[in-house]
């Protein structure tokens, strides 16, 4: 769909988008809150989701849990308006800066999916490596917002 | 190596790290500059790289180009000191906040790998979708820093 990847110089220093999708046809996406600069989520897009995101200036992902294109906010109402999309040197990942208003991004109910930090330093017991909650309160109740939808988290 | 993933509640709301590695044994990593909050790079870690990063508080990745663990800054000197590591809701991606001093992160010579933005809005010709250079100047000359090393960018 996009420009063919022909040589390293064009990919790294060129002026045209020719993204690399992995063997599943997906490209990783980092989504950042335009107001606070915190990372909201890490997702994936296929070529169609990327095209829709560029054209509509609202973020579409590929849902690996549901195996389909997913307009973020479809169920929850927490739409992500695109402020900027960056592509990296070898064009195999994207960084999106998005405006989510006063909304949230995480299906568990927190603003960011990254609500826990990992304890750093010497590891005593790697099976009990502590996580610390950096977000103390949920923004919404997922039971109310998502009702009977299947939880996308897989073991 | 880490705690076994046993149920969704423990994974999402629990206090222990049990990361999910993909079928290649890797977990995606978002690396952010602690000073400017810009995204420096998107990489991957295997379990060993994650363990080393937590213990040594310096970022180690899995190099897919060289197929080995890679201490960032090994060749360039641009080491990434870990300030914080966050894990997401289903524990299948990481967000690292790192101090790189006055260094750079991108093998092409720019500070961030994400030095280009994608033009947004109605697409006239998807094969000529314009990229805009958001970083104007390289921080270092990769020919001097990396000498004869193979370029990791693949077509």
């Amino acid at each position: 769909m996009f420009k063919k990847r022909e040589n390293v110089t064009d990919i790294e220093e060129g002026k045209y988008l020719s993204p690399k999708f992995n063997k599943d046809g997906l490209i990783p996406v980092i989504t950042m809150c335009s107001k606070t600069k915190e990372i909201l989520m890490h997702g994936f897009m296929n070529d169609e989701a990327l095209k829709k995101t560029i054209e509509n200036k609202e973020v579409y992902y590929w849902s690996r849990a549901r195996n389909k294109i997913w307009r973020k906010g479809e169920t929850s109402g927490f739409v992500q308006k695109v402020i900027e999309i960056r592509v990296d040197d070898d064009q195999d990942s994207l960084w999106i800066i998005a405006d989510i208003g006063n909304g949230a991004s995480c299906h568990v109910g927190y603003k960011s999916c990254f609500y826990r930090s990992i304890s750093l330093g010497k590891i005593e017991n790697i099976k009990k490596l502590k996580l610390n909650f950096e977000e103390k309160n949920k923004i919404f109740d997922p039971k109310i917002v998502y009702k009977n939808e299947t939880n996308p988290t897989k073991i």
Side-chain angles (χ1 to χ4, degrees), chain A residues 4 6 10 19-20 28-29 33 36-37 39 43-44 48 55 58 73 77-78 104 112 117 128 131 135 137 139 145 149:
Chain A
K4 199 177 163 214
E6 287 174 313
D10 277 1
K20 185 173 196 166
V29 181
C33 172
T36 62
K37 312 294 180 207
I39 302 304
F44 290 89
E48 192 62 36
E55 286 208 296
E58 282 190 356
F78 299 136
S112 160
S117 66
K128 290 200 168 177
L131 297 178
E135 284 193 46
N137 301 303
I139 303 264
V145 169
E149 286 206 25

Side-chain angles (χ1 to χ4, degrees), chain A residues 1-154:
Chain A
M1 183 187 289
F2 297 93
K3 184 179 186 297
K4 199 177 163 214
R5 293 167 68 89
E6 287 174 313
N7 65 72
V8 170
T9 307
D10 277 1
I11 293 166
E12 290 184 346
E13 309 266 11
K15 286 181 181 294
Y16 296 111
L17 183 67
S18 46
K20 185 173 196 166
F21 297 90
N22 67 19
K23 53 196 172 194
D24 297 323
L26 303 177
I27 187 167
V29 181
I30 300 160
T31 310
M32 174 186 273
C33 172
S34 60
K35 273 190 239 167
T36 62
K37 312 294 180 207
E38 66 200 299
I39 302 304
L40 296 169
M41 55 182 286
H42 180 282
F44 290 89
M45 286 180 178
N46 67 349
D47 53 0
E48 192 62 36
L50 177 54
K51 180 171 178 276
K52 277 176 175 288
T53 300
I54 292 168
E55 286 208 296
N56 300 335
K57 299 184 200 170
E58 282 190 356
V59 187
Y60 291 74
Y61 297 94
W62 178 260
S63 166
R64 292 174 303 163
R66 290 176 286 168
N67 219 34
K68 65 170 192 171
I69 285 193
W70 151 50
R71 177 174 166 260
K72 178 71 184 171
E74 204 164 60
T75 306
S76 64
F78 299 136
V79 170
Q80 298 179 338
K81 288 189 195 155
V82 177
I83 305 295
E84 190 171 334
I85 309 179
R86 299 276 192 107
V87 64
D88 76 341
D89 42 24
D90 59 350
Q91 303 203 31
D92 72 350
S93 60
L94 301 169
W95 163 24
I96 296 185
I97 303 169
D99 181 351
I100 62 163
N102 294 315
S105 177
C106 170
H107 75 277
V108 180
Y110 295 98
K111 182 183 174 189
S112 160
C113 294
F114 294 89
Y115 47 86
R116 289 169 296 181
S117 66
I118 301 173
S119 297
L120 302 175
K122 194 175 176 330
I123 297 172
E124 302 291 345
N125 180 351
I126 200 160
K127 305 243 182 275
K128 290 200 168 177
L129 228 162
K130 281 289 286 282
L131 297 178
N132 315 294
F133 279 75
E134 301 292 341
E135 284 193 46
K136 304 299 179 196
N137 301 303
K138 295 189 181 183
I139 303 264
F140 68 93
D141 181 345
K143 286 197 197 84
I144 294 171
V145 169
Y146 292 108
K147 296 188 183 76
N148 299 320
E149 286 206 25
T150 315
N151 187 320
T153 296
K154 305 289 175 225

